[in-house]
Amino acid sequence: MLDSHTANRLRAVRIAEVKNERGSVRSLYFMDEFASQGLPGNFIMVWVPGVEELPMNLSRIEKTYQSVTVWAYSTGTSALCNMEEGDTIWIRGPYGVPYSIQGEKNLLIGSGSGLAPLFALAKKMNAEKLSATFVLQAKNKEGLIFKEELSEFCNVVAVTSDGSEGTKGYASHIAGTLIARHDFDVIYAGLGEIEQKKIFEYAAKKLIPVQFGLERLMLCAIGLCGSCSIGKYLVCKDGPVMKTEQIRESFQEFGVFRRNRSGAIVPVKEY
Amino acid sequence: MSKEQLSLAVQLPELTLRNPIILASGILGHSAEVFERIYENGAAAVIGKSVSLLPRDAYKPPVVVEVPCGMLNAVGLGNPGAEAFAEEVKKLSVKKIPVFPSMFGSDPEDFEKMTVMFDSAGATAFELNLSCPHVKGVGTEVGQDPELVGEIVAAVRRHTSKAIFAKVSPESETILRTVKAAERAGATGITATNTIRAISIDVESGLPILSNRYGGLSGEALHPIALRCVYEIAEHTRIPIIGCGGIADWRTAVEFILAGASAVQVGTVLSNKPLGVINEILEGIRQYMERKGYGRISDFVGLAHRQ
């Protein structure tokens, strides 16, 4: 039985393996009892002593191993990317509302850090013999993380903005075509919010429920500081996976603005 | 005592509250929409995250650590600045949701400027953070200087006729002098208490966990200490007190009222219980009052001082 007080304490775990995904993206494998009971969409807080504590989605969730997948874009993520087998990270959690499986025909659309939880979700859907089409978006071929593994059990549609691999274009555009052509039961998306907003509209036109992985500045992860707010919701407690109604209620902010480290309102960037 | 005769409303100088539970400062941030949700879940008023005249970034995580007896935080008084927060105050004021901006700083002139902004934005009352234990120069150092406290309270009082509450630290030896200075300068009441300075060390890395090393302890462990402060203040002065520190259920709230608090604040409990806990506490207080035959909260404020 997961005890939330114990789950909230930072615990040292050994990095059992480091996998180079594509480009400079790396996955850190470890074994943690709480994380092993996590679900796709859950995140953990990962502490690198002396550096930073960061929110990371679980990318693999198995009984005997779990992983987080790291893109180096900051001091903290670079420190994680430089870790080797045998090193220690400290983790707490898992936290957040996970993705939930609701139908048989699923469309998953992911890019960047949004890919990690969707990868875990696609694996779970496969284990439950459900179909999944996965639109995998990146700037270039280096960013098509998990493509090989996903192709083993998903219909993968690779999309790069520079056309270096797969279809040249943007996820929202490709997704729009797929949504119009097929009858998906649920649409899952984890990618830039401005792109997510376009996908939301396509889904809404056909009344298809959505579950989107949202990202906001994460400081406490336990619903105390309010830094991760979107509308009246907290990404750490009411998300990171949010459903159609919640997104609709937050529409003024969704894809438009977020709050920075001082809590000031700043625009959501297109990337 | 019939249900109709019982009222949870609290009447203080310059302030009426629909019930005795206020959201503590620093909890759930700076967004009017989140505050509205807390109000809809039963809180009588919300206190904003402490703001300074100019914006300030929060510290890098780790900013919270759960410990067996509560929580440590060193979020760092990160805030978007008074002007930006005044916009949130306006949104709440329009919806008639009582909001008290919490202000910090060390210069009375800064407090004056902030008071003007918030008063015209529709703030219901004011709380002065004179007691943050983990940011240098603007917290406990201010609170421990009764003369500066007096100057700050007087500066705020010059620009508003609304209620002003000075929030004190639980560890100050000068707590009663601070309280007296605030009272003399025109404060309506005292919020007792802020968090207490503490630390948590991870034994595997051998390092303090918080990025700021030191943080403020809140929750369970703070309760008997904050309660003692309220009791002590009530022994020595008649000034209204708002109790704060480790309230988790109706009993821990009633203890504060018996100790001398006219109203209470909740904070840390919202990180480990659903928002419904506020209404649960109110219901518990109501049932206690029915059992004891109290019709008003004021009927049992300070009763623990009886000989």
Side-chain angles (χ1 to χ4, degrees), chain A residues 55-271:
Chain A
M56 306 238 79
N57 282 113
L58 293 168
S59 51
R60 293 177 181 84
I61 308 163
E62 306 292 341
K63 260 210 187 102
T64 53
Y65 67 89
Q66 302 84 46
S67 75
V68 291
T69 303
V70 198
W71 282 249
Y73 62 88
S74 65
T75 324
T77 48
S78 299
L80 286 173
C81 274
N82 287 331
M83 293 208 159
E84 300 299 337
E85 183 184 315
D87 284 345
T88 307
I89 52 172
W90 279 253
I91 69 174
R92 62 181 169 101
Y95 297 120
V97 174
Y99 285 113
S100 70
I101 294 174
Q102 293 179 289
E104 292 185 2
K105 281 197 74 182
N106 302 291
L107 176 61
L108 283 62
I109 308 153
S111 182
S113 54
L115 283 171
L118 289 173
F119 176 57
L121 179 64
K123 261 196 175 174
K124 190 156 194 267
M125 285 174 170
N126 175 247
E128 295 183 22
K129 310 256 189 290
L130 303 166
S131 95
T133 299
F134 202 122
V135 175
L136 180 48
Q137 152 90 54
K139 275 203 193 107
N140 53 47
K141 63 184 180 183
E142 303 263 278
L144 295 173
I145 312 301
F146 306 127
K147 179 167 175 274
E148 282 69 36
E149 279 188 68
L150 280 171
S151 303
E152 287 170 27
F153 49 80
C154 269
N155 170 27
V156 174
V157 179
V159 183
T160 48
S161 349
D162 70 354
S164 51
E165 195 173 329
T167 312
K168 181 169 181 182
Y170 292 93
S172 56
H173 191 219
I174 307 294
T177 311
L178 290 169
I179 292 168
R181 266 195 211 143
H182 305 277
D183 285 313
F184 293 106
D185 292 321
V186 191
I187 296 165
Y188 301 88
L191 70 171
E193 218 164 276
I194 292 172
E195 286 278 276
Q196 279 179 325
K197 198 158 192 174
K198 293 179 191 157
I199 295 166
F200 185 88
E201 304 283 24
Y202 299 142
K205 272 205 188 93
K206 287 186 83 170
L207 299 175
I208 304 171
V210 305
Q211 292 184 31
F212 285 0
L214 263 50
E215 285 182 20
R216 281 291 182 276
L217 179 66
M218 194 66 70
L219 294 185
C220 78
I222 54 173
L224 204 69
C225 73
S227 304
C228 65
S229 69
I230 175 167
K232 67 179 186 188
Y233 295 111
L234 299 175
V235 169
C236 69
K237 284 241 153 145
D238 306 303
V241 175
M242 286 178 51
K243 299 192 165 158
T244 305
E245 263 327 296
Q246 293 170 302
I247 295 169
R248 210 181 282 288
E249 282 170 50
S250 317
F251 227 58
Q252 258 202 329
E253 187 167 344
F254 179 63
V256 182
F257 68 87
R258 56 175 191 85
R259 290 175 188 269
N260 68 11
R261 204 169 277 280
S262 75
I265 289 172
V266 292
V268 161
K269 283 198 210 119
E270 188 117 41
Y271 65 92

Side-chain angles (χ1 to χ4, degrees), chain A residues 9-10 12 47 90, chain B residues 200-209:
Chain A
R9 305 298 306 279
L10 280 168
W47 181 43
W90 279 253
Chain B
S200 180
I201 295 173
D202 167 70
V203 303
E204 297 306 326
S205 65
L207 292 172
I209 297 175

